[in-house]
Amino acid sequence: MIQTVVKRDGRIVGFNARKIGDAVRKAMVHTEAGENEELIHLICEHVANRGKVQMTVEEIQDAVEVELMKSRRKDVAQKYIAFSYTHLRAHETVLD
């Protein structure tokens, strides 16, 4: 079970499953089918419980992508991946 997260800047913070749910929800609202609270909960549970004790932000994002691709909501996976990439690019710009 994930307990701590290594942020992109190297800080170590406590794991917060709500952040996964928020990110998946943001991707879902940009799809035709919209939100699915049951799927959001399932993905949060799977990622949190199957993860290592400490994971990086990128490892968690990869795990979420895998769970989304295993679901019927490939449309959400596509939006989530695009959202994650955009967020990463914005973060890199700030660091430059």
Side-chain angles (χ1 to χ4, degrees):
M1 177 173 227
I2 306 171
Q3 294 181 4
T4 57
V5 177
V6 180
K7 304 289 275 183
R8 288 186 177 95
D9 64 4
R11 290 180 297 127
I12 298 174
V13 299
F15 174 70
N16 181 351
R18 177 180 279 165
K19 289 187 176 190
I20 292 173
D22 290 346
V24 172
R25 186 173 291 104
K26 285 179 186 177
M28 284 182 169
V29 299
H30 288 94
T31 64
E32 197 171 302
E35 291 183 51
N36 179 331
E37 286 298 324
E38 186 177 327
L39 181 58
I40 291 169
H41 178 74
L42 183 66
I43 289 170
C44 290
E45 287 283 317
H46 282 194
V47 172
N49 292 325
R50 295 179 181 168
K52 301 178 290 187
V53 172
Q54 184 174 75
M55 294 179 73
T56 65
V57 169
E58 291 81 7
E59 289 172 326
I60 293 170
Q61 286 177 337
D62 289 348
V64 171
E65 290 172 18
V66 168
E67 292 300 322
L68 284 168
M69 290 304 292
K70 290 193 297 189
S71 78
R72 294 181 180 191
R73 297 293 304 271
K74 309 295 189 266
D75 57 334
V76 178
Q78 183 180 24
K79 297 291 183 184
Y80 179 85
I81 291 166
F83 173 77
S84 296
Y85 178 76
T86 301
H87 185 75
L88 173 63
R89 297 299 305 161
H91 180 76
E92 288 174 346
T93 301
V94 169
L95 292 179
D96 286 346

